[in-house]
Amino acid sequence: MTKKIQAIPYKFLNQTNGEEHEMIISGAIGKSGWFYTATSAEDVRNALAEITAPTVRIKLNSGGGDADQGVEIYNYLKDLDKHIVVEVTSLAASAASIIAMGADEVIMRTGSRMMIHEAATFAYGTKQDIKKTLNALETYDESIISIYQQKTGNSREEIAKLIEAETWMTAEQAVKDGFADKVEYEPKEDSKEGITDEQLQEIINTVTNNLKQNSNQNNEPHSPVPAEREPVMTKRKGFIF
């Protein structure tokens, strides 16, 4: 797990642009430690405590981390008196997917993914210790299922199968299964692809002139190209090969 969540660089930024506050959460979810820096529930609370903008947009890219921290952030977002938008810019896995469920609107960007799975931990000790750990994990799973069920409307049985299988979803699949609301594509400038009209007209003129020259060279002197046929070439500009 540590290697997976360390693969995405840490970043936690906040800025307000008019009517919208933007927060960037990248990297691990949890409390920072000796081995990595992470975004905690306290970080999120402190960053959003004094904002006045009516909309909060969270750009999320995380492989997950601490389940408790993820659930705490989820509940904080649900209680916040703002319109919350979570924009998954690349990956929302594990605890990060729980955070996404706290939004009023979940947007998957082009090529982004979401992953949900069972809670995991390390355990050692007696068989009683292992049983206690197993019971704790089962409790975590039931809590996680409740969060996903509230967002998707799917049955507990359906969601249980998904987390047991460690399900990876494309942006489109996440929307289809109810974990996200829409896929948003990068807006493009309103420009024509390929050659411009000017370039196309230049090609037409060149081809037309070449055809005239060939026609003058190949035809006999008494058979000139009728002047009234020249405009036909312009009308056929869509058939240049």
Side-chain angles (χ1 to χ4, degrees), residues 21-41:
H21 180 84
E22 181 179 281
M23 172 182 287
I24 297 177
I25 299 177
S26 178
I29 304 301
K31 295 182 179 179
S32 299
W34 290 101
F35 301 106
Y36 62 88
T37 306
T39 298
S40 68

Side-chain angles (χ1 to χ4, degrees), residues 1 4-5 8 26-29 61-65 91-96 115 117:
M1 175 63 75
K4 180 168 67 175
I5 62 179
I8 299 174
S26 178
I29 304 301
N61 180 25
S62 171
L91 175 65
S94 191
M115 186 273 279
H117 67 164

Side-chain angles (χ1 to χ4, degrees), residues 163-184:
I163 68 171
E164 288 170 5
E166 186 178 298
T167 301
W168 290 79
M169 292 172 276
T170 63
E172 293 75 13
Q173 191 65 45
V175 172
K176 180 182 178 182
D177 290 346
F179 292 90
D181 298 296
K182 68 178 181 178
V183 180
E184 186 172 278

Side-chain angles (χ1 to χ4, degrees), residues 129-147:
D129 293 326
I130 301 301
K131 287 180 179 179
K132 291 176 183 178
T133 302
L134 177 61
N135 179 65
L137 287 174
E138 290 174 342
T139 301
Y140 271 107
D141 287 344
E142 288 299 314
S143 298
I144 292 170
I145 289 172
S146 295
I147 291 173

Side-chain angles (χ1 to χ4, degrees), residues 78-98:
K78 294 291 285 185
D79 292 339
L80 198 63
D81 186 23
K82 307 290 180 184
H83 179 70
I84 309 297
V85 179
V86 167
E87 186 177 312
V88 180
T89 58
S90 181
L91 175 65
S94 191
S97 70
I98 296 173

Side-chain angles (χ1 to χ4, degrees), residues 8-229:
I8 299 174
Y10 167 81
K11 181 183 286 188
F12 184 68
L13 296 176
N14 288 272
Q15 60 181 2
T16 299
N17 299 313
E19 296 295 302
E20 185 170 285
H21 180 84
E22 181 179 281
M23 172 182 287
I24 297 177
I25 299 177
S26 178
I29 304 301
K31 295 182 179 179
S32 299
W34 290 101
F35 301 106
Y36 62 88
T37 306
T39 298
S40 68
E42 183 178 7
D43 294 332
V44 174
R45 284 198 308 273
N46 291 340
L48 299 180
E50 302 297 331
I51 67 165
T52 58
T55 299
V56 175
R57 180 178 297 269
I58 301 174
K59 296 191 174 184
L60 179 64
N61 180 25
S62 171
D66 188 313
D68 286 320
Q69 292 290 308
V71 172
E72 187 174 350
I73 295 172
Y74 161 83
N75 281 311
Y76 176 76
L77 295 178
K78 294 291 285 185
D79 292 339
L80 198 63
D81 186 23
K82 307 290 180 184
H83 179 70
I84 309 297
V85 179
V86 167
E87 186 177 312
V88 180
T89 58
S90 181
L91 175 65
S94 191
S97 70
I98 296 173
I99 293 173
M101 300 301 102
D104 298 301
E105 183 179 11
V106 180
I107 298 172
M108 303 294 291
R109 295 301 300 271
T110 307
S112 62
R113 297 154 295 148
M114 185 177 289
M115 186 273 279
I116 62 174
H117 67 164
E118 294 178 296
T121 190
F122 295 99
Y124 67 92
T126 67
K127 60 183 180 182
Q128 292 302 320
D129 293 326
I130 301 301
K131 287 180 179 179
K132 291 176 183 178
T133 302
L134 177 61
N135 179 65
L137 287 174
E138 290 174 342
T139 301
Y140 271 107
D141 287 344
E142 288 299 314
S143 298
I144 292 170
I145 289 172
S146 295
I147 291 173
Y148 292 139
Q149 185 181 32
Q150 185 173 8
K151 171 63 179 176
T152 66
N154 298 331
S155 69
R156 299 186 70 84
E157 292 75 16
E158 290 174 317
I159 297 172
K161 289 179 181 179
L162 292 176
I163 68 171
E164 288 170 5
E166 186 178 298
T167 301
W168 290 79
M169 292 172 276
T170 63
E172 293 75 13
Q173 191 65 45
V175 172
K176 180 182 178 182
D177 290 346
F179 292 90
D181 298 296
K182 68 178 181 178
V183 180
E184 186 172 278
Y185 300 94
E186 186 69 28
K188 295 182 180 180
E189 294 183 0
D190 187 16
S191 61
K192 297 179 181 178
E193 296 183 357
I195 63 175
T196 64
D197 289 340
E198 292 77 10
Q199 291 172 324
L200 179 60
Q201 188 60 52
E202 185 178 349
I203 294 172
I204 293 170
N205 293 339
T206 301
V207 172
T208 301
N209 291 333
N210 289 339
L211 289 174
K212 287 180 180 180
Q213 293 175 5
N214 291 337
S215 178
N216 291 333
Q217 293 174 1
N218 296 331
N219 291 335
E220 295 182 0
H222 62 276
S223 302
V225 177
E228 64 271 15
R229 293 182 60 186

